[in-house]
Amino acid sequence: MKAAAALLYAPDGYDTSRPRLMGRHAAGAGFLGGLVRHAGFDRLVALTRSADDAAAFRAQLKDLGATVPAETLGDADFHRLAETGCLMLPGPDLSSFAWRRRRGGAAQAFSLVGITHTIASAAAMDSMAEMLVAPVQPWDALVCTSSAVQAAVRRLWQAEGAWLARRTGATRIEGPALPIIPLGVDATALAPDPAARAEWRARLGIRPQDIAVLHHGRLSFHAKAHPLPMFLGIARAAAAAPAGAKVVLILSGWFADTVQRRAFSAMAKALAPDLEIRLVERPETDTKLRSAADLFTLLSDNIQESYGLAPVEALAAGLPVVGTDWDGLKDTVAHGVTGFRVPTLLAGPMGDLAARHDIGLDSYDEFIGGVAQFTAVDVGAAEAAFAALIGDAALRARMSAAARARAVAHYDWQKVIGQYQELWAELARLRADGRGERAARLRGEDPVPRRPDPSALFADYPTRRLTPETRLRLAPGLADAQAAVARITAMAGLSGGAARRELLPAAELFQAALAPLDAGPATAGTLVAGLPPGQAWAVFRALGWLLKIDVLRLEEEG
């Protein structure tokens, strides 16, 4: 098959040997390997910016076992992309290449296809907003890795489009196509391995009858997944283990810094002192560690996340997944079939966080850490999911088989590359049809469209949003508001308990807001009704943090 797409290649987008490994690096390397194995191209083409990058491309293809020629194009060869018909970008920056294509002549010469990774950063939001004013064409596309991401991109475009309409009087505003294509995995390489299972469990001191829960990835309470619901849920669910068996949590991954390391250690000791934990750092070169586990968990609560590759790798390894009902996990984890999705809740407003990040007062880490602080994972539902799998070997076996089958059928790179080939063919058809640039009116309001309130932009990530009508009650074990405030104070003082303590209201405000719960459940609106208007909003969104740390529960929870 003639090459149907060229890659924009720089080692940063495809290198997994780096010390600070991110999901986009693993995704890029996986995509390149998938092309080598499954695309069937007569050659593999890359647009590179330097001789060193061209050499790195050829070297990486050799390492991947490519048997077809590698061809690299420099800046002066940009027009030759018409020979392949498409340029694949490792991120969402279609706009700059669309302008460059326009300068070169016919916009129908080739298509541009970008992909979303995180869409929470200022740079990513700017790239997506620019698509509405750049010469992006109907035969271009921004691939969304999940339905939640697609919804967020559309919401951002609605706000930006409304501003453009008012500012310029434009009546047709439209971006590129937004197909949903998941990230893939090498299902063959991730297949369960009994020998590796025995070896790893012996190495970690896990007996055959024990139940091992694996958490793999970056270990970050502010930028990946706060470990509180995992520690509490597994520790409490350990009581469901069969007689003679113990539950072991395998923390596999890497800490960004010593702050994260200390925080995880402190929270584990405070929240799950009796839970046995094995730490395996930087195991990314050994895919067989997954074979040691009986189930996998990632209780993501962060807008930095957009897909969640680790849970899909776990499915391919035949592991039932306890994940959150959040971003890409909504698409990949079939609730009750391949695992369980734990409900999430997003509080707000957070327009101040968007503004502080926009003007440089808060770093990106501070921004996403602030949003995560007011995002709650249902601790009770997490406990129930862990208990169900820990206590029922037959359920684990059924979900294991279903997980492996789902990964092979939907997420193996052979299937995913096939979806890309279908997309490239459709875009080529649109180019051949000669249709002009399209635009459609987009609606929506936001004071600063490119820096919207994250609690509105990411409304499709959680199970539900906190509203004034949401009914709340004190969590089990808390007799009254005074006891609740004592727990709040303890959690706020715990390293990692609150990523942005300065955003929390004073203890006196919490005491006043929670007092009505002494008499029984009440709505969120009732709890803040008597507070000063200038402080009520801050307490309202902080209710999300109280749900997060298991001070509050939704009334309908068991």
Side-chain angles (χ1 to χ4, degrees):
M1 176 183 176
K2 184 179 178 180
L7 297 179
L8 175 65
Y9 182 90
D12 176 71
Y14 304 88
D15 179 17
T16 58
S17 64
R18 57 198 309 115
R20 288 178 59 87
L21 183 65
M22 306 288 281
R24 66 182 180 88
H25 303 128
F31 180 78
L32 184 55
L35 283 180
V36 169
R37 294 191 302 275
H38 304 299
F41 289 164
D42 62 355
R43 68 193 191 284
L44 291 162
V45 184
L47 178 69
T48 59
R49 304 302 302 271
S50 70
D52 287 345
D53 287 356
F57 176 68
R58 297 176 187 275
Q60 189 164 5
L61 291 186
K62 182 179 179 180
D63 290 342
L64 291 170
T67 58
V68 297
E71 179 179 353
T72 56
L73 306 176
D75 285 336
D77 303 314
F78 189 75
H79 64 283
R80 290 187 54 199
L81 290 169
E83 297 172 13
T84 60
C86 180
L87 176 63
M88 286 291 304
L89 306 172
D93 185 24
L94 273 68
S95 299
S96 62
F97 288 92
W99 284 114
R100 188 175 177 187
R101 180 180 60 186
R102 182 182 178 90
R103 293 189 195 100
Q108 291 172 304
F110 56 90
S111 295
L112 297 168
V113 176
I115 185 170
T116 60
H117 293 296
T118 182
I119 61 170
S121 70
M125 292 186 196
D126 284 347
S127 292
M128 293 183 292
E130 286 292 335
M131 293 177 200
L132 299 185
V133 294
V136 174
Q137 302 292 344
W139 43 85
D140 300 326
L142 177 65
V143 172
C144 300
T145 55
S146 69
S147 55
V149 165
Q150 183 192 63
V153 175
R154 285 177 171 164
R155 184 170 286 108
L156 186 71
W157 280 356
Q158 286 173 344
E160 185 74 8
W163 157 250
L164 290 172
R166 292 194 303 274
R167 176 70 172 171
T168 67
T171 58
R172 299 183 65 220
I173 304 170
E174 188 171 355
L178 287 177
I180 298 173
I181 301 179
L183 298 179
V185 297
D186 185 348
T188 300
L190 291 166
D193 185 331
R197 178 180 176 84
E199 177 185 347
W200 266 108
R201 288 175 78 98
R203 187 186 308 181
L204 297 175
I206 303 173
R207 302 170 302 172
Q209 69 268 32
D210 295 336
I211 295 97
V213 184
L214 173 67
H215 172 98
H216 173 73
R218 278 180 297 142
L219 299 170
S220 172
F221 63 81
H222 79 284
K224 189 69 172 181
H226 199 286
L228 181 146
M230 175 179 68
F231 286 146
L232 283 182
I234 297 175
R236 294 170 179 175
K246 62 184 178 184
V247 175
V248 179
L249 171 61
I250 305 173
L251 284 180
S252 159
W254 49 96
F255 296 103
D257 49 42
T258 56
V259 172
Q260 298 289 342
R261 181 186 296 274
R262 286 196 301 265
F264 267 70
S265 177
M267 282 188 274
K269 291 177 181 176
L271 303 172
D274 297 325
L275 179 64
E276 293 207 25
I277 299 176
R278 307 287 190 270
L279 177 62
V280 182
E281 294 193 71
R282 300 204 62 80
E284 62 273 14
T285 58
D286 192 340
T287 61
K288 298 303 182 182
L289 173 61
R290 297 172 183 84
S291 293
D294 299 288
L295 61 138
F296 179 89
T297 186
L298 175 61
L299 298 179
S300 181
D301 60 1
N302 204 283
I303 58 173
Q304 158 76 16
E305 186 79 82
S306 60
Y307 180 71
L309 187 58
V312 180
E313 292 172 335
L315 294 175
L319 295 179
V321 173
V322 177
T324 35
D325 193 44
W326 183 262
D327 60 62
L329 279 73
K330 289 185 170 186
D331 297 342
T332 58
V333 179
H335 184 70
V337 179
T338 65
F340 297 103
R341 294 201 309 270
V342 177
T344 57
L345 180 143
L346 183 64
M350 301 188 206
D352 60 318
L353 302 188
R356 289 180 60 87
H357 179 43
D358 184 34
I359 63 178
L361 291 178
D362 284 350
S363 68
Y364 177 61
D365 276 353
E366 288 172 326
F367 170 59
I368 60 175
V371 178
Q373 181 165 292
F374 303 117
T375 302
V377 174
D378 187 327
V379 176
E383 177 186 348
F386 287 125
L389 285 165
I390 287 171
D392 192 337
L395 177 63
R396 292 199 303 273
R398 290 195 302 272
M399 287 190 168
S400 172
R404 173 72 181 164
R406 181 173 175 82
V408 170
H410 297 286
Y411 304 116
D412 185 76
W413 274 117
Q414 182 175 12
K415 305 293 184 180
V416 174
I417 293 298
Q419 293 182 60
Y420 272 99
Q421 290 175 319
E422 292 173 4
L423 173 63
W424 298 332
E426 172 61 16
L427 298 180
R429 185 189 67 77
L430 291 175
R431 293 199 310 274
D433 284 349
R435 296 164 61 182
E437 184 174 2
R438 292 181 283 116
R441 189 181 184 91
L442 300 176
R443 308 179 189 280
E445 294 288 337
D446 199 278
V448 184
R450 296 190 184 188
R451 299 293 183 270
D453 181 334
S455 67
L457 177 62
F458 299 100
D460 289 89
Y461 279 32
T463 309
R464 61 188 296 177
R465 295 185 66 188
L466 182 70
T467 70
E469 292 73 35
T470 303
R471 290 186 61 79
L472 304 168
R473 61 181 173 84
L474 293 175
L478 296 177
D480 52 27
Q482 184 175 356
V485 172
R487 180 178 292 182
I488 291 168
T489 302
M491 284 305 306
L494 181 65
S495 177
R500 300 290 306 279
R501 292 188 188 91
E502 74 276 13
L503 300 177
L504 296 177
E508 296 77 16
L509 286 173
F510 276 129
Q511 180 74 48
L514 299 180
L517 297 179
D518 287 354
T523 66
T526 298
L527 298 185
V528 300
L531 300 179
Q535 297 172 317
W537 65 273
V539 176
F540 181 85
R541 75 174 181 190
L543 297 178
W545 181 67
L546 300 188
L547 284 159
K548 184 185 192 72
I549 65 171
D550 204 28
V551 166
L552 296 179
R553 294 278 183 96
L554 299 178
E555 183 186 4
E556 59 267 33
E557 289 186 54

